[in-house]
């Protein structure tokens, strides 16, 4: 009986460690509570940078600028009058976040889309451990929410913390879904970013590289 209890205890410990590792391996799933993430999202959402064509960025903690100063996040490098709808730990799928349904489609449905010239949808890292069927369903929901507005989909980079094959599967799925609808897609699988110690979020230099890569494509689409 003692040995059986010991084995059960070890199994529970392994499962707990696995669960916590999965939670931490998300773009924005640090120690912050869902309420704090919501506050961070609201604070970032009221900041508008630049001038010209109106650009809306929908994304995860990369869009919010998790781990860097507010003026170092990649959306600030985009041309146009840029507004960000970001929520740390979120993704295309509902299951990407432990904070309820903060998926891109649900947020897009309530976003201020009137007058937006281009929607940049960035993400996918938090969907890497979700079923690809859920990723497809979330993408289709997002398409319906955005309607006929011009969209650029930006895929996930190869963050060192996550299995490359899982990230590549998300990239391939998003590329296929975007191509099926004629939506521009920007793969980031080959981008070389520098990361914070968590090996998941870019540092300030990484944000510059990421932002400049996206900005080049945005300029093309706004011409």
């Amino acid at each position: 009986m003692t040995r059986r209890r010991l084995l059960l205890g070890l199994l529970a410990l392994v499962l707990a460690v696995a669960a916590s590792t999965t939670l931490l391996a998300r773009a924005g799933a640090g120690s912050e509570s869902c309420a704090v993430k919501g506050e961070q999202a609201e604070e970032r959402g009221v900041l508008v940078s630049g001038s010209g064509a109106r650009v809306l960025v929908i994304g995860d903690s990369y869009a919010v600028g998790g781990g860097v100063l507010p003026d170092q996040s990649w959306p600030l490098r985009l041309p146009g009058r840029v507004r960000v709808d970001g929520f740390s730990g979120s993704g295309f799928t509902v299951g990407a976040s432990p904070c309820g349904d903060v998926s891109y489609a649900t947020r897009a449905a309530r976003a201020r889309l009137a007058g937006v010239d281009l929607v940049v949808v960035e993400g996918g890292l938090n969907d890497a451990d979700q079923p690809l069927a859920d990723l497809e369903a979330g993408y289709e929901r997002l398409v319906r929410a955005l309607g006929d507005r011009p969209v650029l989909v930006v895929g996930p980079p190869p963050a060192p913390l996550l299995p490359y094959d899982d990230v590549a599967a998300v990239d391939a799925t998003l590329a296929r879904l975007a191509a099926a609808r004629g939506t521009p897609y920007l793969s980031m699988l080959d981008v070389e970013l520098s990361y914070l110690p968590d090996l998941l979020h870019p540092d300030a230099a990484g944000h510059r590289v990421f932002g400049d890569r996206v900005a080049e494509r945005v300029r093309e689409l706004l011409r």
Side-chain angles (χ1 to χ4, degrees):
M1 180 64 72
T2 301
R3 183 177 180 181
R4 183 169 181 268
R5 287 178 178 174
L6 178 60
L7 289 175
L8 289 175
L10 289 174
L11 177 60
L13 177 61
V14 170
L15 292 176
V17 171
S20 62
T21 301
T22 299
L23 176 62
L24 290 174
R26 294 190 175 282
S31 60
E32 301 92 347
S33 67
C34 292
V36 170
K37 292 176 185 177
E39 292 173 0
Q40 293 171 342
E42 291 181 6
E43 291 173 358
R44 186 62 183 86
V46 299
L47 299 177
V48 180
S49 62
S51 60
R54 285 164 289 190
V55 178
L56 171 64
V57 175
I58 297 176
D60 51 22
S61 61
Y62 276 47
V64 175
V68 299
L69 297 175
D71 62 348
Q72 295 175 329
S73 61
W74 70 264
L76 272 74
R77 306 186 72 79
L78 302 185
R81 188 172 187 271
V82 181
R83 181 165 50 90
V84 175
D85 181 340
F87 194 98
S88 296
S90 66
F92 291 88
T93 61
V94 174
S97 172
C99 298
D101 185 3
V102 288
S103 63
Y104 295 172
T106 296
R107 283 160 39 210
R110 61 173 183 253
R112 292 172 289 152
L113 295 173
V116 171
D117 297 297
L118 178 67
V119 180
V120 178
V121 181
E122 167 272 319
L125 283 180
N126 296 321
D127 303 295
D129 62 349
Q130 299 297 302
L132 292 180
D134 291 354
L135 176 61
E136 295 191 27
Y139 185 92
E140 294 301 327
R141 288 178 55 235
L142 175 64
V143 168
R144 291 194 295 271
L146 294 177
D148 59 356
R149 293 171 180 81
V151 177
L152 168 64
V153 179
V154 179
L161 182 65
L162 300 179
Y164 179 85
D165 288 347
D166 292 347
V167 178
V170 172
D171 175 79
T173 300
L174 292 176
R176 173 173 56 81
L177 294 170
R181 292 182 174 272
T183 301
Y185 181 72
L186 179 59
S187 175
M188 302 295 276
L189 271 188
D190 63 341
V191 71
E192 295 185 5
L193 305 178
S194 50
Y195 289 85
L196 295 171
D198 66 4
L199 300 180
L200 181 63
H201 296 87
D203 59 16
H207 272 272
R208 289 195 296 272
V209 173
F210 194 100
D212 289 347
R213 177 82 168 267
V214 179
E216 182 179 1
R217 192 64 180 276
V218 169
R219 290 190 186 92
E220 296 174 356
L221 296 173
L222 290 179
R223 288 194 186 111

